[in-house]
Amino acid sequence: MFLLTTGNTTLTENVEGFLRVLRGETIGQAHTIIHSFEIGPMMIGIPVSVRRVAVMIGILMLVFIVLEFNRRLEELNMLNEQNNLVQGQVTQAIQTHAALETQVAYAGSNAAVEEWARTDGHYIQDGDLPVVPLGGPGAPPIEASTPVPVPTPMQNWEVWWTLFFDP
């Protein structure tokens, strides 16, 4: 509860004086009555007005709105970066898919079969003249030798393992 005083007068005395001013009895006292209201000892000398409280609440709300806006902007930037990353991955996947479809289409064509037959299959086509290299007259015949595989040495534990556990 607040106690409004003007020096040695109480609120009721000030209200009575104010009413006298309004009736026109003492106009000279109006200035002193209106400006002489002081806030009592409950407020510790800090003047409080509704306007100041409204401004402070407005500033506080503005700070919270700016902080929330900043958080949303950071989230938007993070989502845009993720979107760009995913779009790059999608573009790469589409290009890979197109390249694989091209390879599948080529593998099913006659040109791919013919290429394999001539290079890897060593087949000839009708009308081709096969070339077989021959040595010169009197030269020993060329023998195609198959290389003998070199055995890999086994470690001692592998030898024992084989002796005990392999059939």
Side-chain angles (χ1 to χ4, degrees):
M1 175 182 231
F2 302 112
L3 175 65
L4 297 174
T5 62
T6 60
N8 294 330
T9 61
T10 62
L11 178 63
T12 55
E13 292 173 351
N14 284 334
V15 171
E16 289 174 1
F18 187 69
L19 290 175
R20 275 187 268 140
V21 170
L22 289 178
R23 285 184 292 216
E25 295 175 6
T26 55
I27 296 177
Q29 293 179 352
H31 184 70
T32 57
I33 291 173
I34 292 173
H35 291 289
S36 65
F37 284 103
E38 295 176 2
I39 297 178
M42 297 290 285
M43 289 300 293
I44 314 172
I46 300 173
V48 176
S49 69
V50 176
R51 186 174 182 187
R52 280 190 182 175
V53 170
V55 168
M56 290 298 201
I57 290 173
I59 290 173
L60 187 64
M61 287 176 56
L62 185 63
V63 167
F64 284 127
I65 289 171
V66 168
L67 289 175
E68 178 66 18
F69 182 69
N70 187 32
R71 185 192 64 79
R72 289 182 183 194
L73 282 178
E74 288 177 8
E75 185 178 1
L76 176 68
N77 287 337
M78 181 188 66
L79 291 174
N80 281 338
E81 288 174 4
Q82 289 178 354
N83 184 24
N84 291 339
L85 178 67
V86 169
Q87 283 181 350
Q89 291 173 347
V90 166
T91 302
Q92 185 179 14
I94 288 173
Q95 290 173 348
T96 302
H97 184 260
L100 291 174
E101 281 183 345
T102 304
Q103 287 180 353
V104 166
Y106 177 73
S109 69
N110 289 335
V113 172
E114 186 176 330
E115 178 185 347
W116 177 86
R118 289 181 177 266
T119 56
D120 295 332
H122 303 291
Y123 291 105
I124 60 170
Q125 195 174 24
D126 291 337
D128 285 346
L129 297 175
V131 176
V132 178
L134 297 176
I142 300 173
E143 295 181 15
S145 64
T146 57
V148 178
V150 178
T152 57
M154 295 176 68
Q155 295 182 1
N156 285 337
W157 70 270
E158 292 174 328
V159 172
W160 286 101
W161 185 270
T162 306
L163 285 175
F164 285 115
F165 299 110
D166 283 345

